[in-house]
Amino acid sequence: MRIAALVFAVLMLSACTGLQRNPIEATDLVDPQVPGIEGARLWADVTPPNLEEIVDEAAQQRRAAGLTGPQTTLSLSGGSEGGAFSAGILTAWSEVGTRPEFTSVLGVSTGALIAPFAFLGSDYDDELKRLYGGLPPSQIFESRSIFGILPNASIKSTGPLKALIDEYLTDEFLAEIAAEHRRGRRLAVQTVSLDAQRPVFWDLGTIANSGAPNAAEVFRDVLLASASIPGFFPPVLIDVDSPGGVRDELHVDGSVFSQSLLVPGWRIPKSATRNSTLYAILNSKVTPELDATDLGIRAVTFRSLSTLLKAQAATDLAIAFESSRKDSARFQATWISPDFTVPLNEPFDPDYMAALFDYGYTRFKTGNLWSDKPPE
């Protein structure tokens, strides 16, 4: 009886607290847009009808800004605490003095959180080291009580992460991103619309450059959504226009669809990719790790998820390699090798992240980092 009463209480609380929806109609999910910000989002699984115009506009802006050299794209994958690998690489790359001013920076999940700092360049390396060099988990998430799990659709609250993003998301920060966008550089991240069951390409530069009163809020919500691991972190409601007024659309971690934002479904003109270079950083391992799995539900679940993500990540790199080859682009990829053996004792373990940051830093400094082919 006590258990039944507890379950009843939780269900009652679920009905009156937590996430509340004003959902977009299924018929309006063909091409939903953000109120007041034109061009903020595109579907990532089909070629946009105006892609040639988008590519031409960026090319014209780069010519006007004097950015006439070879194009470079940086792709930052998902991987949760594995983002420390990218942070270490970028820091070492800056110190060596060969880090490009990337033409485009693309991010998914933890890669989406890194992307704005990578986009703005070496001046933000200290921020990357702070965020990924051993930040305590308490500054990323908080545990929920049993009464908060069901109504919020997650076991953790991202209140601390939201506050952390807001700390950096100042008017000056957005203005810097907008200025680079006007020079023809592009910053984009991926979420997944659960309502449409499709990946969404978010043009963060367009959002920052819009001057819209909701620009900072949308920018923050997109970053939160791209890193919202289903079940662990809460999904994010993002406002969209509809014939019936402003409604909401439910978004989660972009890695639900793919580990990297490489939009292989987009038929990009070869003139925009010829002689360019793709740098793809995979913030996870791809090789199998042999180990007897415990029969507990937690061990089986996490082991299964790890297997799925490894296979997905390896496939993403293989697709990126083939796309680069067909488009006459140079391919440079890296991933966490089996020689990194520091155990992960808890989600976002600060000791693990500090060690992985140093590992990425050292791999770059020793010249043992890039591969011109995907994993076997």
Side-chain angles (χ1 to χ4, degrees):
M1 290 297 293
R2 289 180 179 177
I3 294 177
L6 180 60
V7 171
F8 178 75
V10 170
L11 292 175
M12 288 299 292
L13 285 169
S14 301
C16 57
T17 61
L19 295 171
Q20 301 293 320
R21 293 211 60 181
N22 180 23
I24 186 171
E25 297 288 340
T27 53
D28 298 329
L29 280 167
V30 176
D31 185 29
Q33 291 298 319
V34 176
I37 308 179
E38 184 179 354
R41 55 174 284 171
L42 299 162
W43 294 119
D45 55 352
V46 294
T47 303
N50 62 333
L51 180 60
E52 193 167 339
E53 296 175 17
I54 294 172
V55 171
D56 287 346
E57 179 187 26
Q60 291 171 13
Q61 289 175 325
R62 287 195 298 274
R63 285 194 294 270
L67 301 179
T68 56
Q71 295 184 50
T72 54
T73 295
L74 175 65
S75 172
L76 301 163
S77 84
S80 301
E81 54 279 308
F85 181 56
S86 284
I89 290 170
L90 289 167
T91 301
W93 207 343
S94 296
E95 290 183 8
V96 171
T98 57
R99 178 172 158 184
E101 182 181 53
F102 300 108
T103 310
S104 303
V105 178
L106 313 174
V108 174
S109 193
T110 194
L113 298 178
I114 298 170
F117 300 108
F119 181 73
L120 290 178
S122 302
D123 288 345
Y124 284 88
D125 286 350
D126 287 344
E127 280 72 15
L128 281 179
K129 188 166 186 178
R130 177 200 170 195
L131 294 172
Y132 285 93
L135 192 72
S138 60
Q139 293 191 37
I140 302 172
F141 61 82
E142 295 172 332
S143 296
R144 297 191 190 278
S145 71
I146 188 174
F147 300 105
I149 293 175
L150 288 180
N152 291 284
S154 65
I155 62 173
K156 304 293 183 181
S157 163
T158 49
L161 178 59
K162 182 178 179 180
L164 196 60
I165 293 173
D166 282 338
E167 178 185 334
Y168 288 106
L169 206 58
T170 61
D171 291 341
E172 292 75 17
F173 190 82
L174 284 176
E176 284 187 64
I177 290 173
E180 294 304 315
H181 179 81
R182 292 192 293 272
R183 294 177 68 222
R185 299 177 63 221
R186 294 297 182 259
L187 170 64
V189 302
Q190 177 174 283
T191 67
V192 167
S193 164
L194 285 185
D195 297 324
Q197 291 192 319
R198 298 179 67 185
V200 180
F201 176 102
W202 291 93
D203 187 337
L204 294 184
T206 289
I207 294 171
N209 191 52
S210 68
N214 58 332
E217 179 184 359
V218 173
F219 198 107
R220 180 201 64 211
D221 287 348
V222 168
L223 290 183
L224 269 179
S226 185
S228 292
I229 307 165
F232 192 78
F233 289 158
V236 177
L237 294 170
I238 297 179
D239 285 343
V240 291
D241 278 326
S242 78
V246 176
R247 300 290 180 88
D248 60 57
E249 187 182 15
L250 196 63
H251 288 257
V252 294
D253 195 318
S255 63
V256 167
F257 180 81
S258 63
Q259 289 295 301
S260 302
L261 176 52
L262 300 171
V263 288
W266 288 20
R267 288 184 285 276
I268 300 174
K270 281 196 174 183
S271 59
T273 58
R274 190 177 293 114
N275 299 322
S276 63
T277 300
L278 168 65
Y279 294 99
I281 302 179
L282 189 63
N283 295 305
S284 63
K285 295 180 179 180
V286 295
T287 53
E289 297 172 281
L290 306 182
D291 192 18
T293 305
D294 292 336
L295 281 175
I297 186 172
R298 182 180 184 276
V300 170
T301 300
F302 278 89
R303 186 73 170 172
S304 299
L305 183 60
S306 173
T307 303
L308 170 65
L309 294 179
K310 283 183 178 183
Q312 185 186 56
T315 299
D316 287 347
L317 284 185
I319 292 172
F321 172 74
E322 287 300 321
S323 296
S324 297
R325 185 177 61 81
K326 291 177 181 177
D327 295 338
S328 302
R330 182 168 169 250
F331 178 82
Q332 295 283 274
T334 187
W335 51 89
I336 303 172
S337 298
D339 61 344
F340 182 75
T341 57
V342 175
L344 177 65
N345 296 315
E346 61 176 331
F348 299 95
D349 179 348
D351 293 334
Y352 175 92
M353 292 174 69
L356 187 55
F357 180 98
D358 291 340
Y359 173 78
Y361 180 94
T362 302
R363 281 273 304 274
F364 188 93
K365 282 295 186 78
T366 57
N368 180 30
L369 185 71
W370 300 112
S371 171
D372 60 3
K373 294 181 180 179
E376 293 293 337

